[in-house]
């Protein structure tokens, strides 16, 4: 009796499952088609889409959230794709399927502007968000490091000058082999992978900055640009430099566990975790808010976002979002983005950027 | 035969009480092997225990939150200067003066823009929306003074949870000496209480840890799994039934079978790329939605369901089919009246396990844009959404310290759902399975 009951129960249950599965299978499929079709033709997306750099992501999301809460528009969605990936998506075309804004932790490249133009994205509005410093940090349990750009280059480059005008593979394994004043520890640095904008900026500012202090290499810049770039932009690939993914938080935690290691990441992570990690002074300048803002810290870069002009007025709220982002409340000197670790532009520059963006002045590459 | 019997008595019957060197060696090998087994299990259990322990210790804090009680005067001049009591006009009012006013009552000696700003930061920026909701729900409170428990600010929360070391030098901490002093004053005056963090279960994502919630991700996962089930279950079961009951055994079906088995081992990111190329670029389905997420996950779970369903069908004894044929049932009748219902518990178990696997998947969702900051809680399969594991990934990447325990808490929620789904599979199997 119980067995047959159970069996019939199983049958009813399974029948119910298959029935709901079948009927349910049709219903959503049809309704979604009905929902998306008119959208695709009339351009009816009512939500701003933002993609791009993981460094700008914390700031972009903060503005998106405030915008969603204080305006009548939906909260924009922000995807973290990396600067390069974001620009690729951004440049893929005009229309509601393509993002409206892309964040970048470096400036757009000429090749990317060309790609955009090929796909009909001709008018791009460039907006500087503010500044970010790249810090070379270690755990607070160890003493603070004081290095020069040249020492950073010697520690992390693939090839270093051999003193006879040529190059040799990087021989250094300990910091004090580079300079007796540096600690007697193994060189162990964690940093972002090549897809990251932070890595691009670090290579360009710190590595190249240290590289060109050698007259023999600096001379290459005018004579053989490709070799110059290859020498200055190549990071070593042995265990002294470890690519630790895009997750800066993870680097902070690893530094905590290993006081002898160093990490490369954005200033906002140092700012939020100042109780656990400290930034090395580079060329005798400490990575502080003031030093990055007045450009005396050598490894500082600008952060940008790019807006598709063709989408303004089509996607509801895009213009208002720009106004929110550039308002004093957000990116101004006392704005909430400064609380999130952004280094705001000086008042005059901020006003100029705000005016240019709100007037939708298109970007011109020099 | 006789040989065997006659030759037996020649050998002495083994004396099992004598411990010959050979037998001692054998017994030792036996004990040793058991020991290896126990050690292996012990190591596995220790890993699991330490993982769960760190997650639970790390995440427990996120389920409670500090609330700060403020005696807020709902000033009519601020909220509704016209006195019209129009509910629409309550939205968009700046409620901040109400909070700064209430704080000024507790700290009458704090003055100046910088100082009041610092004082206001002790309170969550979400507090103004709480007041707005209170007024909208009950306009009668305008003009009265009420004790309102608002969320503490991010840093206040950390301090009250003991996560900010008061011995650390001032400039390295999130809160200065004076600010911790203010918190202590509030505490001693009975303005601080610890409460269950309900917003964790009712909010979408946020950039402020104390306002961020899991509901958006939970709904995103729910809708994705619904889509996944609706596509993968019928397709998987029908494929399995056809291959097992109807198809002829030939090269083609063998080829299909090999491919299904191979598909089950394909890394999930590949399905994400497929989804990007086909669902988004060819069919133009909306990016970042559970619809596309569910479709990608369905592709991923399909092989699992097919394999489990075929195994379940194969376990139904041929005698059941033969009996049905003997009574004159057709092939379809036999299959759908007898074989499939009997195999259904096994099929459902396989499906649930496949779905549990899909619930924990992040990689394919990366490619179709579900890894995004999304505040609004999705209400349908075409709303933009994230999913539980994606939310964990995103929170783990946020710079604010408060998000660390949020990450662990989200992992706890995900684990609970995984355990529940697997439990359901076990119960279904135990209850409904028939043994022959």
């Amino acid at each position: 009796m119980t067995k047959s009951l159970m069996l019939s129960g199983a049958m009813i249950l399974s029948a119910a499952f298959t029935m709901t599965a079948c009927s349910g299978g049709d219903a959503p499929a049809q309704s979604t088609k009905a929902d998306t079709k008119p959208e695709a033709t009339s351009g009816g997306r009512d939500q701003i889409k933002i993609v791009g750099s993981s460094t700008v992501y914390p700031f972009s999301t903060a503005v998106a959230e405030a915008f969603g809460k204080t305006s009548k528009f939906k909260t924009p969605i922000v995807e973290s794709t990396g600067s390069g990936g974001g620009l690729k998506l951004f440049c893929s075309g005009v229309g509601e399927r393509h993002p409206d804004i892309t964040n970048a932790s470096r400036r757009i490249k000429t090749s990317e502007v060309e790609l955009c133009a090929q796909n009909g994205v001709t008018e791009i509005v460039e907006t500087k968000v503010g500044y970010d410093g790249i810090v070379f940090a270690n755990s607070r349990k160890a003493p603070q490091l004081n290095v020069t750009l040249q020492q950073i280059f010697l520690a992390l480059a693939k090839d270093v000058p051999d003193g006879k005008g040529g190059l040799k593979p990087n021989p250094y394994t300990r910091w004090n082999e580079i300079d007796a004043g540096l600690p007697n520890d193994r060189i162990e640095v964690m940093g972002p992978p090549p897809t990251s904008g932070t890595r691009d900026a670090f290579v360009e500012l710190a590595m190249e900055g240290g590289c060109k202090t050698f007259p023999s290499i600096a001379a290459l810049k005018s004579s053989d640009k490709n070799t110059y770039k290859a020498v200055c932009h190549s990071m070593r690939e042995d265990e002294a430099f470890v690519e630790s993914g895009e997750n800066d938080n993870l680097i902070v935690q690893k530094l905590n566990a290993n006081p002898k290691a160093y990490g490369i990441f954005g200033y906002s992570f140092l700012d939020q975790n100042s109780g656990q990690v400290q930034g090395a002074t580079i060329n005798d300048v400490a990575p502080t808010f003031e030093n990055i803002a007045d450009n005396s810290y050598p490894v500082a870069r600008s952060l940008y976002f790019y807006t598709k002009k063709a989408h303004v007025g089509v996607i509801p709220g895009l213009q208002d979002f720009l106004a929110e982002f550039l308002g004093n409340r957000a990116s101004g000197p006392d704005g909430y983005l400064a609380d999130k670790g952004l280094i705001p532009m000086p008042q005059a520059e901020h006003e100029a950027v705000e005016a240019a963006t709100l007037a939708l002045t298109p970007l011109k590459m020099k | 035969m006789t040989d065997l019997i006659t030759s037996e008595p020649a050998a002495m019957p083994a004396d099992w009480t004598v411990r010959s060197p050979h037998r001692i060696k054998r017994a030792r090998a036996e004990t040793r092997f058991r020991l290896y087994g126990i050690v292996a299990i012990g190591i596995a259990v220790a890993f699991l225990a330490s993982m769960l322990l760190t997650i639970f210790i790390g995440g427990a804090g996120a389920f409670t939150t500090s609330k700060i009680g403020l005696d807020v005067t709902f000033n009519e001049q601020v909220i509704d200067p016209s006195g019209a009591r129009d509910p629409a006009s309550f939205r968009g009012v700046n409620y901040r003066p109400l909070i700064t006013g209430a704080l000024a009552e507790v700290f009458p000696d704090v003055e100046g823009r910088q100082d009041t700003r610092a004082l206001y930061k002790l309170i969550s920026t979400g507090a103004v929306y709480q007041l707005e909701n209170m007024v909208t729900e009950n306009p009668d409170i305008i003009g009265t003074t009420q004790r309102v428990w608002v969320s503490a600010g991010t840093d206040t929360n950390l301090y009250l949870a003991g996560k900010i070391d008061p011995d650390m030098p001032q400039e390295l901490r999130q809160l200065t000496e004076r600010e911790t002093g203010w918190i202590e004053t509030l505490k001693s005056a009975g303005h601080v209480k610890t409460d269950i963090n309900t917003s964790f279960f009712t909010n979408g994502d946020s950039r402020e840890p104390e306002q961020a919630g899991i509901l958006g991700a939970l709904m995103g996962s729910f809708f994705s799994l619904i889509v996944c089930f609706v596509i993968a279950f019928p397709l998987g079961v029908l494929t399995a039934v056809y291959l097992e009951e109807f198809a002829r055994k030939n090269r083609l079906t063998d080829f299909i079978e090999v491919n299904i088995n191979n598909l089950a081992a394909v890394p999930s990111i590949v399905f994400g790329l497929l989804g990007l190329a086909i669902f988004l670029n060819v069919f133009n389905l909306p990016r970042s939605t559970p619809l596309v997420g569910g479709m990608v996950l369905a592709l991923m779970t399909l092989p699992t369901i097919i394999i489990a369903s075929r195994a379940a069908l194969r376990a139904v004894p041929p005698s059941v089919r033969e009996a049905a044929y003997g009574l004159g049932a057709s092939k379809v009748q036999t299959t759908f009246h007898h074989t499939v219902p009997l195999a259904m518990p096994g099929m459902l178990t396989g499906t649930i396990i496949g779905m549990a696997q899909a619930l924990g998947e992040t990689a394919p969702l990366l490619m179709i844009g579900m890894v995004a900051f999304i505040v609004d809680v999705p209400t349908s399969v075409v709303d933009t959404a994230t999913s539980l594991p994606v939310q964990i990934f995103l929170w783990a990447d946020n710079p604010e310290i408060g998000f660390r325990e949020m990450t662990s808490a989200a992992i706890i929620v995900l684990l609970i759902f995984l355990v529940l789904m697997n439990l359901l599979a076990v119960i279904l199997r135990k209850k409904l399975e028939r043994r022959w």
Side-chain angles (χ1 to χ4, degrees):
Chain A
M1 192 56 205
T2 45
K3 263 200 177 160
S4 69
L5 253 178
M6 249 159 70
L7 182 66
S8 56
M11 282 171 69
I12 291 167
L13 194 75
S14 55
F17 260 107
T18 13
M19 268 167 64
T20 47
C22 294
S23 59
D26 289 348
Q30 271 170 10
S31 69
T32 46
K33 256 179 213 151
D35 284 350
T36 48
K37 268 267 167 68
E39 258 182 38
T41 45
S42 70
R45 174 150 62 80
D46 59 349
Q47 197 172 25
I48 299 169
K49 284 205 174 187
I50 304 169
V51 293
S53 163
S54 57
T55 312
V56 189
Y57 174 88
F59 312 128
S60 200
T61 46
V63 177
E65 188 176 352
F67 176 73
K69 279 187 175 150
T70 53
S71 73
K72 59 184 198 296
F73 301 103
K74 274 184 157 182
T75 310
I77 76 166
V78 187
E79 265 186 69
S80 165
T81 59
S83 303
L87 278 159
K88 210 171 141 195
L89 283 168
F90 180 80
C91 288
S92 57
V94 175
E96 62 125 359
R97 289 187 51 231
H98 306 286
D100 311 311
I101 292 176
T102 185
N103 300 318
S105 56
R106 56 166 172 80
R107 230 178 151 214
I108 191 169
K109 292 176 188 160
T110 319
S111 60
E112 287 161 340
V113 174
E114 282 160 9
L115 176 73
C116 266
Q118 271 172 26
N119 292 321
V121 186
T122 46
E123 288 189 299
I124 306 166
V125 181
E126 180 184 69
T127 311
K128 197 192 257 187
V129 178
Y131 300 99
D132 182 35
I134 298 171
V135 297
F136 195 80
N138 66 342
S139 163
R140 281 209 168 269
K141 291 170 203 152
Q144 192 177 23
L145 189 71
N146 184 1
V147 286
T148 63
L149 286 180
Q150 191 182 56
Q151 287 163 347
I152 290 185
F153 174 75
L154 288 177
L156 296 175
K158 197 172 173 198
D159 297 307
V160 295
D162 59 3
K164 291 173 235 142
L167 293 164
K168 60 179 177 188
N170 196 332
Y172 303 111
T173 54
R174 306 187 81 83
W175 285 101
N176 60 353
E177 291 166 8
I178 297 171
D179 187 292
L182 293 174
N184 180 13
D185 287 323
R186 228 154 48 80
I187 298 174
E188 214 181 333
V189 179
M190 288 175 274
T195 47
S196 152
T198 308
R199 166 77 169 260
D200 288 348
F202 180 79
V203 164
E204 213 157 281
L205 297 164
M207 297 294 284
E208 193 177 327
C211 181
K212 62 187 176 200
T213 56
F214 295 98
S216 64
I217 302 179
L220 278 176
K221 191 173 183 179
S222 44
S223 60
D224 186 355
K225 216 165 177 190
N226 286 338
T227 320
Y228 170 77
K229 257 199 152 163
V231 173
C232 289
H233 287 196
S234 302
M235 308 271 292
R236 63 198 293 176
E237 282 152 1
D238 54 9
E239 72 282 355
F241 179 72
V242 185
E243 283 173 11
S244 302
E246 297 259 12
N247 191 331
D248 293 346
N249 232 343
L250 209 62
I251 299 185
V252 171
Q253 291 180 32
K254 280 182 187 160
L255 291 182
N256 234 348
N258 180 1
K260 294 201 187 305
Y262 295 85
I264 298 166
F265 45 83
Y267 172 77
S268 57
F269 282 83
L270 179 70
D271 185 43
Q272 295 284 342
N273 296 281
S274 54
Q276 293 165 3
V277 288
Q278 57 190 347
T281 60
I282 296 179
N283 292 353
D284 288 322
V285 185
T288 60
F289 187 92
E290 293 76 20
N291 289 343
I292 299 169
D294 68 12
N295 231 343
S296 58
Y297 184 70
V299 201
R301 54 163 165 189
S302 310
L303 304 176
Y304 300 90
F305 69 81
Y306 295 90
T307 314
K308 236 173 247 177
K309 194 175 174 183
H311 284 198
V312 178
V314 179
I315 305 294
L318 191 51
Q319 178 90 32
D320 306 69
F321 178 76
L322 296 177
E324 167 76 35
F325 210 130
L326 291 160
N328 263 325
R329 192 164 74 119
S331 57
D334 271 332
Y336 55 77
L337 290 182
D339 295 337
K340 292 266 165 216
L342 179 78
I343 290 153
M345 292 170 278
Q347 191 72 42
E349 191 184 5
H350 182 252
E351 277 165 18
V353 168
E354 182 177 6
T357 304
L358 294 182
L360 301 173
T361 319
L363 164 84
K364 281 191 197 74
M365 293 302 276
K366 280 149 233 157
Chain B
M1 279 302 254
T2 44
D3 271 2
L4 263 171
I5 291 165
T6 48
S7 69
E8 262 306 291
M12 283 287 289
D15 181 3
W16 293 106
T17 55
V18 175
R19 296 184 61 81
S20 70
H22 171 72
R23 284 189 38 230
I24 289 173
K25 215 173 142 197
R26 203 174 63 163
R28 279 202 187 131
E30 195 110 327
T31 336
R32 234 181 3 251
F33 182 75
R34 278 186 202 180
L35 205 69
Y36 293 154
I38 290 170
V39 168
I41 292 174
I43 290 173
V45 168
F47 273 127
L48 182 70
S50 67
M51 186 192 86
L52 288 180
L53 210 66
T54 31
I55 290 172
F56 276 89
I57 289 174
F63 294 104
T64 58
T65 185
S66 300
K67 297 264 183 185
I68 292 180
L70 293 176
D71 298 313
V72 177
T73 307
F74 289 89
N75 191 337
E76 189 173 2
Q77 289 304 312
V78 175
I79 304 166
D80 193 13
S82 65
R85 293 289 187 274
D86 174 16
S89 72
F90 300 149
R91 299 263 169 214
V93 172
N94 185 6
Y95 288 86
R96 193 168 157 157
L98 300 185
I99 291 171
T100 43
L103 281 167
E105 301 254 318
V106 191
F107 301 101
D109 48 337
V110 176
E111 279 170 356
R113 192 174 157 274
Q114 284 292 336
D115 290 0
T116 44
R117 227 178 116 96
L119 189 58
Y120 179 72
K121 271 198 187 155
L122 298 184
I123 309 292
S124 164
T125 50
V128 286
Y129 307 108
Q130 191 184 337
L131 295 188
E132 183 177 293
N133 286 337
M134 285 178 72
V135 173
T136 322
E137 273 164 28
N138 180 14
D140 293 339
I141 59 172
I142 296 174
T144 62
T145 299
Q146 308 235 347
R147 168 65 63 100
V148 183
W149 290 96
V150 296
S151 293
T154 312
D155 296 333
T156 317
N157 234 327
L158 285 174
Y159 177 77
L160 287 168
K163 301 258 166 67
I164 292 180
D165 183 4
D167 300 330
M168 204 183 273
Q170 248 200 87
E171 66 276 10
L172 304 178
R173 298 196 302 234
Q174 284 85 351
L175 292 170
T176 60
E177 206 67 56
R178 197 172 51 143
E179 285 161 339
T180 55
W182 286 338
I183 299 174
E184 290 300 334
T185 314
L186 280 171
K187 210 170 160 184
S188 54
H191 285 283
V192 176
K193 73 169 179 184
T194 310
D195 209 350
I196 290 171
N197 189 2
T198 46
S199 64
F200 181 71
F201 299 101
T202 56
N203 284 9
D205 198 3
S206 168
R207 286 290 290 121
E208 308 297 331
E210 80 276 1
Q211 293 172 48
I214 196 86
L215 187 67
L218 214 55
M219 292 309 285
S221 272
F222 174 74
F223 285 124
S224 300
L225 286 187
I226 293 270
V227 173
C228 171
F229 179 80
V230 153
I231 295 171
F233 184 71
L235 275 183
V237 168
L238 285 177
T239 310
V241 167
Y242 184 79
L243 282 178
E244 200 58 39
E245 304 288 328
F246 293 90
R248 276 201 199 91
K249 271 263 168 214
N250 57 22
R251 283 219 167 151
L252 185 67
T253 49
D254 278 349
F255 179 71
I256 291 174
E257 186 170 347
V258 167
N259 273 299
I260 289 171
N261 289 338
N262 276 338
L263 271 183
V266 166
S268 54
I269 187 91
V270 176
F271 292 107
L273 282 166
L274 191 76
L276 174 70
I278 295 179
F279 300 143
L280 293 186
N281 292 346
V282 178
F283 294 141
N284 282 344
L285 290 174
R287 199 177 155 88
S288 318
T289 54
L291 174 70
V292 180
M295 287 164 84
V296 168
L297 293 176
L299 290 180
M300 209 193 76
T301 36
L302 208 47
T304 317
I305 295 180
I306 296 173
I307 292 168
S309 301
R310 292 190 66 179
L313 286 167
R314 230 172 288 149
V316 176
S319 57
V320 172
R321 297 185 186 91
E322 280 153 17
Y325 292 142
L327 289 171
S330 73
K331 197 146 196 182
V332 171
Q333 282 173 329
T334 309
T335 308
F336 287 99
H337 293 177
H338 302 281
T339 326
V340 170
L342 286 172
M344 197 45 87
M347 292 176 172
L348 284 178
T349 311
T351 308
I352 292 170
I353 287 170
M355 304 277 282
Q357 201 186 340
L359 174 66
E361 205 51 72
T362 332
L365 304 182
L366 266 171
M367 309 309 301
I368 54 160
M370 283 183 85
V371 181
F373 176 74
I374 294 164
V375 174
D376 302 329
V377 175
T379 51
S380 79
V381 291
V382 285
D383 281 346
T384 50
T386 53
S387 73
L388 273 174
V390 168
Q391 191 66 73
I392 293 167
F393 173 74
L394 287 173
W395 280 348
D397 208 11
N398 276 343
E400 288 84 3
I401 299 172
F403 275 109
R404 280 197 205 141
E405 59 180 23
M406 301 292 290
T407 309
S408 296
I411 295 174
I412 295 175
V413 172
L414 179 65
L415 282 179
I416 288 174
F417 275 91
L418 285 175
V419 168
L420 283 181
M421 286 176 79
N422 284 325
L423 207 65
L424 183 68
V426 170
I427 290 172
L428 269 179
R429 199 167 52 208
K430 282 259 180 291
K431 280 264 171 214
L432 304 177
E433 195 179 44
R434 287 196 58 175
R435 291 192 181 281
W436 283 282

